[in-house]
Amino acid sequence: PVANARVLLGYTGDSPPAELDHAITHGDDDECVVCSGLRTATDGRFCVRGLPPFSRYALLAVREARLLGSVCELDFGGEKCLAQVEVVLSRAGAIRGHVVDATGGDFAHVEVSARFDSKHGDSTNDAKGGIQLWRDSGYDKGSVLFSRETSTDARGDYVFTGLEPGAYEISVNSRGHVSPIEQRLRVESGAATLAESFVFPKGHEVSGLLIDRSGQPIIGESISLFGVSGDSAATMTDRAGRFHFSGIPAGIYDARVR
């Protein structure tokens, strides 16, 4: 039994019953979190009372960032219905990786994101309303996330911990550079998955100055390059109104100012 695990209950039906109006909090796509503050007792048990009949729910549990609970669907079909479920907690996974520049050198301070790939994953969170329940519950601001962001350290390394097992999309971004292609990988329970190294492409330098009609530099403006081949990069003007791109592949581009 796991004590002090957080239990989350979300309504996944078409429209919430009137009996739940006082208890629910709405999120995207009309998903509703009915209960988010419940904790398991020392024997691992929990109980939610007063749920209306003929309604459908998604249930999950979590204990810190190392133990994640499966999502299961509860379908109440009678006026007096007692659903007994067993939630099995699995160990969270991790992703480690490295980013290098076109010369093979360590690329520091690069933005890296890990997004749960619900279309290609077979995670325990694939039950209807499960992913949204994670997000609506507030865990997108905590240690267990639907989407995570970090940056590489001085050695070009990055790490994500406390991840729900399943499929993820990893992408990197550095201002003024064309980003490498995304990676898809699978996170296993209790294991650290090593991603392939991201290599920023070697290319050309593009620099310029952004000014207004009076000739004054425009500071802090977003500038993007869009290539006919699909490549793109974005950066910001500095205090002198100048901008700079690196690693731009040869081709024809449109420069756009936001």
Side-chain angles (χ1 to χ4, degrees):
V2 178
N4 201 35
R6 185 182 181 187
V7 178
L8 306 169
L9 185 70
Y11 180 78
T12 59
D14 295 332
S15 58
E19 296 91 329
L20 292 178
D21 286 345
H22 67 286
I24 62 175
T25 56
H26 290 269
D28 297 337
D29 301 325
D30 292 329
E31 297 289 350
C32 306
V33 177
V34 178
C35 176
S36 61
L38 187 64
R39 297 276 180 173
T40 57
T42 55
D43 60 358
R45 296 182 180 275
F46 62 91
C47 181
V48 181
R49 300 180 185 276
L51 297 176
F54 303 105
S55 52
R56 192 166 61 249
Y57 303 88
L59 176 72
L60 59 88
V62 61
R63 171 70 185 273
E64 300 172 343
R66 298 183 297 276
L67 296 172
L68 303 172
S70 59
V71 171
C72 57
E73 286 243 294
L74 306 178
D75 198 344
F76 292 163
E79 294 186 359
K80 294 183 178 180
C81 180
L82 176 62
Q84 296 189 16
V85 296
E86 183 178 86
V87 180
V88 180
L89 299 186
S90 61
R91 293 195 175 274
I95 296 175
R96 298 180 183 275
H98 188 68
V99 181
V100 298
D101 59 22
T103 65
D106 299 333
F107 208 154
H109 311 303
V110 175
E111 298 174 358
V112 186
S113 63
R115 185 173 64 88
F116 184 82
D117 187 0
S118 58
K119 294 182 179 179
H120 299 87
D122 56 0
S123 162
T124 54
N125 253 2
D126 278 348
K128 181 179 182 294
I131 289 295
Q132 193 61 45
L133 182 57
W134 277 116
R135 301 177 69 184
D136 293 346
S137 68
Y139 264 84
D140 56 345
K141 302 179 180 64
S143 58
V144 181
L145 304 176
F146 176 81
S147 180
R148 298 283 293 274
E149 294 183 355
T150 188
S151 58
T152 57
D153 59 20
R155 296 170 296 188
D157 296 324
Y158 66 89
V159 61
F160 294 99
T161 59
L163 296 177
E164 165 81 4
Y168 283 82
E169 291 181 352
I170 310 299
S171 61
V172 297
N173 178 60
S174 180
R175 183 176 297 175
H177 292 77
V178 172
S179 298
I181 299 175
E182 294 180 344
Q183 294 185 35
R184 284 191 175 93
L185 48 79
R186 181 166 299 279
V187 173
E188 302 296 340
S189 176
T193 301
L194 183 62
E196 295 182 7
S197 294
F198 280 101
V199 181
F200 274 80
K202 184 178 181 180
H204 300 273
E205 307 286 322
V206 179
S207 299
L209 175 66
L210 183 64
I211 59 175
D212 59 21
R213 293 178 180 270
S214 65
Q216 295 300 312
I218 300 178
I219 302 171
E221 188 64 60
S222 175
I223 297 184
S224 301
L225 295 180
F226 295 93
V228 295
S229 61
D231 293 322
S232 64
T235 189
M236 304 280 288
T237 57
D238 60 18
R239 294 182 178 180
R242 298 188 178 277
F243 59 89
H244 182 79
F245 294 91
S246 300
I248 304 299
I252 300 175
Y253 291 83
D254 287 332
R256 302 178 187 175
V257 178
R258 182 180 295 177

